Amino acid sequence: MNATRPTLLQLGPIHPPCQAQVDAAHDVVKAWTLDPAARETAIAGIADRCEAILTNGGRGADAATMARLPRLKLVACHGVGVDAIDLAWCRAHGVAVTNTPDVLTEDVADLALALLLATVRRIPQADRFVREGRWLEGPFGLTPTLQGRRVGIVGLGRIGQAIAKRCAAFGCEIAWQGPRDKPGQPWPRHADVVSLAEWADVLIAACPGGEATRHAVSLAALEALGPVGVFVNIARGSVVDQAALVELVVQGRLGGAGLDVFDDEPRVPAELIASDRVVLQPHQGSATDETRGAMARLALSNLAAHFAGRPLLTPV
């Protein structure tokens, strides 16, 4: 190890072009590339000098790993979601956490609209219809319109607001649900998710993950959407009762779903894969080259601020 560079435990990959910057500025243990035995040995080897962890939203950082680093002061997350980081442990042990808000808002909101349009207008199904030569046998069936739909958004943070503005541009009526009022917002707030789903034609989950929102989109909420309703999830798989979602899709009691996130990624229930009512994405919300680069640069800037003794840019 080079004593002139700070030591860094990296738990998951970041934007590949930015990895070279990580490697140049730190002595890095890339834990996710090692088998379990080698990973344990490597972490033990840096325990006396490692002050920072670099991770991503999917991998997070658990208490057992962090407890092995007695000098740990910072967990820098390459992602906006921090539900996979044990925040209670960090608070109890004086460990700061940073994430990468703002820089991914627009791309995630874009994907939410793409999933919504693809689900309502059956774009993947129509694409297969053409590729399989079935257009030669007759026209593709009519689909519903997005125009004038009632769109309920669960979580009106940065991403939720960006989704609402996009839906409004399509002539949709907007309402939302969240734990706190948002003064100055033009859209009405519902008291709970079931009430919002009863009002809505489309329900979009855009809230943070974690225990506070676990199964916020419940069986009752999905049933309230009904057999012509559409559910879109660009939040976290934990936000929806996935077993209930599968049941309603299979039984035709939910009109459709556009899903970017799942309970046990990358494993997706076979019933969802088989369903013609569902449009699937492999957790691609922020997955553009530009946004992932901006996320990585912000995570690196937080690391640099810590090691230089400056205030962190985006503390959680």
Side-chain angles (χ1 to χ4, degrees), residues 8 14-15 17-19 21-22 26 52-56 74-82 97-105 158 286 289-307 310-316:
L8 181 67
I14 65 166
H15 185 243
C18 295
Q19 185 66 51
Q21 299 175 46
V22 176
H26 311 86
I53 287 174
L54 175 62
T55 189
N56 59 40
L74 173 67
V75 177
C77 182
H78 177 267
V80 69
V82 293
V97 177
T98 62
N99 65 347
T100 59
D102 298 318
V103 295
L104 49 68
T105 298
R158 298 177 184 89
S286 65
D289 191 58
E290 294 82 359
T291 287
R292 288 290 172 86
M295 291 164 62
R297 289 189 293 274
L298 182 51
L300 286 171
S301 294
N302 277 304
L303 286 168
H306 166 75
F307 287 119
R310 301 191 304 268
L312 299 171
L313 281 73
T314 53
V316 173

Side-chain angles (χ1 to χ4, degrees), residues 75-163:
V75 177
C77 182
H78 177 267
V80 69
V82 293
D83 48 296
I85 299 171
D86 193 328
L87 297 178
W89 189 96
C90 291
R91 284 191 294 269
H93 293 83
V95 174
V97 177
T98 62
N99 65 347
T100 59
D102 298 318
V103 295
L104 49 68
T105 298
E106 303 304 327
D107 274 336
V108 177
D110 284 351
L111 187 69
L113 263 293
L115 279 169
L116 177 55
L117 281 165
T119 305
V120 170
R121 295 299 303 271
R122 296 177 56 81
I123 292 172
Q125 297 88 336
D127 177 87
R128 290 194 297 271
F129 185 84
V130 174
R131 293 176 188 275
E132 293 168 1
R134 287 183 284 157
W135 196 12
L136 298 171
E137 302 167 5
F140 188 73
L142 301 180
T143 73
T145 181
L146 182 58
Q147 297 293 319
R149 289 289 189 99
R150 290 180 168 184
V151 176
I153 301 173
V154 182
L156 200 70
R158 298 177 184 89
I159 294 170
Q161 292 176 42
I163 292 170

Side-chain angles (χ1 to χ4, degrees), residues 258-269:
L259 307 172
D260 186 44
V261 289
F262 306 90
D263 264 350
D264 187 24
E265 298 173 4
R267 286 162 285 278
V268 176

Side-chain angles (χ1 to χ4, degrees), residues 29-40 42-43:
V29 169
K30 300 174 183 174
W32 83 98
T33 68
L34 305 174
D35 63 54
R39 183 164 57 247
E40 293 301 306
I43 293 174

